[in-house]
Structures are given as structure tokens and as C-alpha cells.
């Protein structure tokens, strides 16, 4: 099995940077804001806590995560929560515990199908009616994965589609695994979690990698619908990671408590991502690509068929080698070989260091900042090139 496509793409970009080659980094889903000082302080204060913690996570973190979900209309008891070293690990442990086939939307995040393969399970990709959600019509027993909002498309499935998928899951006895890592980066209201509609069968995962740009801290939480399922995941966790890093859990507990400075920080980050992401999508559309307007996070998913030809991997290689533009082909997300859709990630356009990223957060018009304006203009030049 190869290294995850997103992480491999990120490595290529970093190698080009170290070599002094030009790069426009749009292949990796890196959030683009600095770590908030409150979180740095909380991490430092807990640095001396070097003993193992509970497998399920520190009680303060589980309580904070329960409050986070309760404030979003999902009443949650701390006993329903498990913390792990990132939501990716929790997704894997959940799929292992559920068993059976794994039903995925096409396209879907690269790791879902690979995790199913690691588990020796079938990954059944069904066309997504809207971003991140497919309605199963044949499968019985297993897991139905939803991504709300969606990676790679940056779109949010409608409440009506989420309801239809939940009803189908109930009819076919599927456990729903709802990846909601981007929930707090939806631009407009309208989010509905399947845990609201099918609470008896929905696992929800989230973390701080995206909303607070803590990808390198590796912390996530999951909410379980039953004690039996939670106990199975705990057994997996006890053999895979023992417990999440205790100082990071202390900072995460503060984050999920959502004091006002952190709530405002997420709001500011969301506005920044929306401004940059929508501008990038507009540049693709102006060049003749077919692209739906992004609704969340820092992704769009243009179809470049009107602009280029050839296998998607060759197009991606040509764009990178000739122009320094790093995109990830839709074929990595389950698209058919003839597809020329590409996942465009815009989080890294906010700046190359914390000073630039902080200035972007504080700017009334971040698109006017020279490094962001320059990236947009460079993109237009590349898309216009023969």
C-alpha cells in the first residue's frame, strides 16, 4: 500500500520548497492560521504531565467534548466520548469495531478506502448525490461513511439528502460514521448531523486539525451511540495508542470548552478561508473550468476537462513540473480513470509563515495582501498557459 496520497503530495511540495523551486501549494489540506496563544499556554502548563492517562481520554477533555456537541444540538454525556491521537485513528478504530463492508461516497477522502483495505474490508463507492453523502441502495450490514462538510469538494450535503441517507442506513442496518472535522468551517447556516436524525446508529468524529489548525498536535474525539460500540473501540484503542498525549489533551479540553477568544478565532479563520477559497474557485471558473461554489473549509473541486487533456496523473505532474502548481487528481478520491476533476486545497495560501498568516487573519481585505494577490494572479497565469 502506498503512502497516503495527500501526505505524499505534501512531501513533494516541501521538497520543491527546499530545492528553491517555485510552488503554488494546493494539494494538501493544511489549515492556514497560527496556533492561538491560549492553546500554547495550556500546552506548556501541562508539559510536566508525563504519566499515562485513561484510554478513553482525560475526563476534562471528554467533558469538554460532550459540552461542544451539546451546544450544537447533540446532547452528549462524557461517557459517550473517546479521545484519540487525531480523528483519523478514531475513524480506523470505529470501522474495525463496526465490521462489515464500508460504504463510501464517490469521491471521498483518500484514507477511507485505504483504511477499509487495511482492515480487509470491501470499500463500496457509490456516487455522491451531493458532497460527502451517498444513499445506499443494496448493502446490508457494515458502515456508511459521510463527510459533512465534504473533503474533497468543499460542499455540504442538504438536510434532505442526509435524512434520506439516514433512512436508508436504518433500513439496511448500517452504522453511520459521520466525519465532521470541518463542521465549524461551514460558511453559511444549514448543517445537519446524521446524529440528530439517526442517533441510535451514528458515530461522530471531529478534532482540532482544521478549525484551530492543530494538525501536528494529533488530537481528536468521537461520540458513540451505544456503550457496546464504545467498549469495542476502547479495546482497539488500548492496543493501538494507549492514550492520547496528555499535555495535548489539556489544551484540547480548553479548546472544546470554547472560551470567547477561541470562538472568535474560529470565526475569523472561517471568514479568511471563505474569502480565499471562493476567490480561487472564481479563478478556475473564469479560466473555463467547471466548478461548484465551495460552501466550507478550504477546498474546491473543479473539472479541468475544458482546459486540459490526458490522464489526470499526467496533468498533475505537468502542472507541477512546468508551473509549480500542486493539485491532487480526483482519481485519488475514487473518481474513474478518465476524470479530470482535481481537489484544490487553499489553506496554505494565507501565508508562508505565522506573521503573514496572522496579518491575513487581521486584514479587512485579505485578498489585497501581496502574497495572496500574487498567488491568485499566478494561478490565473497558469490556467491561461497552453
Amino acid at each position: 500500500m502506498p503512502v497516503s496520497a495527500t501526505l505524499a503530495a505534501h512531501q513533494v511540495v516541501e521538497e520543491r520548497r527546499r530545492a528553491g523551486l517555485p510552488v503554488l501549494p494546493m494539494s494538501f489540506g493544511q489549515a492556514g492560521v497560527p496556533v492561538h496563544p491560549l492553546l500554547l499556554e495550556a500546552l506548556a502548563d501541562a508539559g510536566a504531565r508525563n504519566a499515562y492517562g485513561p484510554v478513553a481520554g482525560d475526563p476534562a477533555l471528554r467533558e469538554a467534548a460532550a459540552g461542544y456537541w451539546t451546544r450544537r444540538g447533540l446532547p452528549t454525556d462524557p461517557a459517550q466520548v473517546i479521545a484519540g491521537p487525531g480523528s483519523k485513528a478514531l475513524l480506523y478504530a470505529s470501522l474495525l469495531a463496526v465490521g462489515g463492508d464500508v460504504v463510501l461516497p464517490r469521491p471521498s477522502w483518500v484514507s477511507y478506502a485505504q483504511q477499509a483495505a487495511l482492515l480487509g474490508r470491501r470499500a463500496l463507492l457509490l456516487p455522491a448525490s451531493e458532497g460527502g453523502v451517498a444513499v445506499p441502495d443494496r448493502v446490508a450490514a457494515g458502515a456508511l461513511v459521510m463527510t459533512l462538510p465534504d473533503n474533497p469538494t468543499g460542499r455540504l450535503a442538504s438536510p434532505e439528502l442526509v435524512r434520506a441517507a439516514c433512512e436508508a442506513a436504518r433500513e439496511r442496518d448500517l452504522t453511520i460514521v459521520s466525519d465532521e472535522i470541518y463542521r465549524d468551517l461551514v460558511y453559511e447556516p444549514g448543517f445537519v448531523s446524521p446524529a440528530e436524525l439517526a442517533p441510535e446508529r451514528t458515530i461522530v468524529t471531529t478534532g482540532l486539525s482544521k478549525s484551530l489548525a492543530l494538525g501536528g498536535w494529533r488530537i481528536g474525539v468521537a461520540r458513540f451511540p451505544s456503550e457496546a460500540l464504545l467498549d469495542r473501540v476502547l479495546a482497539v484503542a488500548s492496543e493501538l495508542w494507549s492514550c492520547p498525549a496528555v499535555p495535548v489533551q489539556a489544551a484540547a479540553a480548553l479548546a472544546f470548552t470554547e472560551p470567547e477568544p477561541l470562538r472568535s478565532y474560529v470565526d475569523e479563520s472561517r471568514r479568511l478561508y471563505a474569502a480565499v477559497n471562493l476567490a480561487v474557485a472564481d479563478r478556475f471558473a473564469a479560466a473555463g473550468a467547471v466548478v461548484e461554489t465551495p460552501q466550507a473549509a478550504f477546498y474546491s473541486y473543479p473539472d479541468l476537462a475544458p482546459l486540459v487533456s490526458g490522464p489526470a496523473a499526467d496533468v498533475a505532474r505537468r502542472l507541477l513540473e512546468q508551473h509549480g502548481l500542486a493539485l491532487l487528481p480526483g482519481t485519488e478520491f475514487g473518481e474513474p480513470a478518465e476524470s479530470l476533476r482535481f481537489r484544490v486545497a487553499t489553506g496554505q495560501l494565507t501565508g508562508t509563515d505565522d506573521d503573514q498568516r496572522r496579518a491575513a487573519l487581521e486584514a479587512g481585505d485579505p485578498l489585497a495582501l501581496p502574497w495572496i494577490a500574487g498567488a491568485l494572479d499566478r494561478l490565473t497565469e497558469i490556467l491561461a498557459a497552453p
Side-chain angles (χ1 to χ4, degrees):
M1 179 175 292
V3 173
S4 168
T6 53
L7 296 175
H10 180 56
Q11 182 64 33
V12 169
V13 166
E14 291 305 303
E15 288 172 358
R16 285 184 65 89
R17 279 179 167 153
R18 287 194 293 270
L21 297 172
V23 64
L24 195 54
M26 297 188 181
S27 57
F28 184 59
Q30 176 72 54
V33 298
V35 178
H36 193 282
L38 284 180
L39 298 175
L40 291 172
E41 182 180 348
L43 181 68
D45 288 346
R49 295 179 58 187
N50 63 338
Y52 284 97
V55 176
D58 191 88
L61 173 54
R62 299 174 77 194
E63 182 176 357
Y68 167 90
W69 276 307
T70 299
R71 289 189 294 277
R72 284 155 179 78
L74 297 176
T76 303
D77 189 281
Q80 292 178 258
V81 177
I82 295 178
S87 62
K88 182 185 283 190
L90 290 163
L91 286 162
Y92 180 81
S94 296
L95 293 178
L96 191 160
V98 169
D101 296 333
V102 180
V103 184
L104 303 174
R106 184 195 297 272
S108 57
W109 181 47
V110 298
S111 289
Y112 299 141
Q114 297 289 23
Q115 287 190 355
L118 284 170
L119 292 168
R121 310 278 168 72
R122 288 194 303 169
L124 306 176
L125 277 76
L126 303 180
S129 302
E130 297 170 8
V133 175
V135 179
D137 57 0
R138 298 183 302 276
V139 184
L144 170 64
V145 177
M146 302 185 192
T147 314
L148 298 164
D150 184 38
N151 172 11
T153 67
R155 301 281 293 174
L156 178 64
S158 68
E160 294 76 19
L161 179 60
V162 175
R163 184 178 300 278
C166 288
E167 291 172 355
R170 187 175 283 121
E171 291 170 2
R172 290 160 179 80
D173 195 28
L174 294 168
T175 298
I176 299 167
V177 180
S178 185
D179 182 350
E180 300 180 5
I181 190 77
Y182 297 99
R183 173 172 185 160
D184 293 333
L185 298 180
V186 177
Y187 305 156
E188 301 291 342
F191 185 96
V192 173
S193 172
E196 299 175 50
L197 306 174
E200 81 286 357
R201 65 182 57 252
T202 300
I203 300 169
V204 179
T205 65
T206 193
L208 303 174
S209 299
K210 311 305 180 180
S211 61
L212 285 167
L214 299 181
W217 288 23
R218 308 314 304 142
I219 191 72
V221 289
R223 177 188 186 274
F224 292 90
S226 69
E227 184 177 354
L229 189 52
L230 180 142
D231 286 344
R232 291 202 293 274
V233 172
L234 272 183
V236 174
S238 71
E239 303 296 351
L240 288 182
W241 61 77
S242 298
C243 70
V246 174
V248 174
Q249 288 188 77
L254 173 64
F256 281 116
T257 304
E258 299 182 290
E260 194 284 327
L262 293 185
R263 287 200 309 273
S264 297
Y265 200 64
V266 173
D267 290 343
E268 293 164 2
S269 301
R270 181 174 56 249
R271 286 192 290 270
L272 172 60
Y273 296 141
V276 175
N277 203 33
L278 291 168
V280 167
D282 286 346
R283 298 292 177 113
F284 275 95
V290 178
V291 56
E292 291 187 280
T293 302
Q295 296 171 300
F298 28 77
Y299 301 120
S300 62
Y301 199 57
D303 186 343
L304 302 190
L307 305 178
V308 297
S309 60
D314 290 348
V315 172
R317 189 179 306 110
R318 188 166 68 246
L319 288 171
L320 182 62
E321 293 177 355
Q322 296 181 7
H323 304 288
L325 174 58
L327 304 178
L328 204 59
T331 50
E332 299 288 358
F333 300 90
E335 295 279 14
E338 65 273 14
S339 173
L340 283 171
R341 300 177 80 183
F342 290 79
R343 204 275 304 270
V344 177
T346 60
Q348 294 186 77
L349 300 188
T350 59
T352 58
D353 57 40
D354 278 354
D355 288 340
Q356 287 189 349
R357 289 186 279 265
R358 195 172 293 109
L361 268 175
E362 297 170 354
D365 180 11
L367 303 184
L369 294 171
W371 56 93
I372 297 178
L376 292 172
D377 290 344
R378 178 61 183 144
L379 177 62
T380 296
E381 293 171 1
I382 294 169
L383 295 176

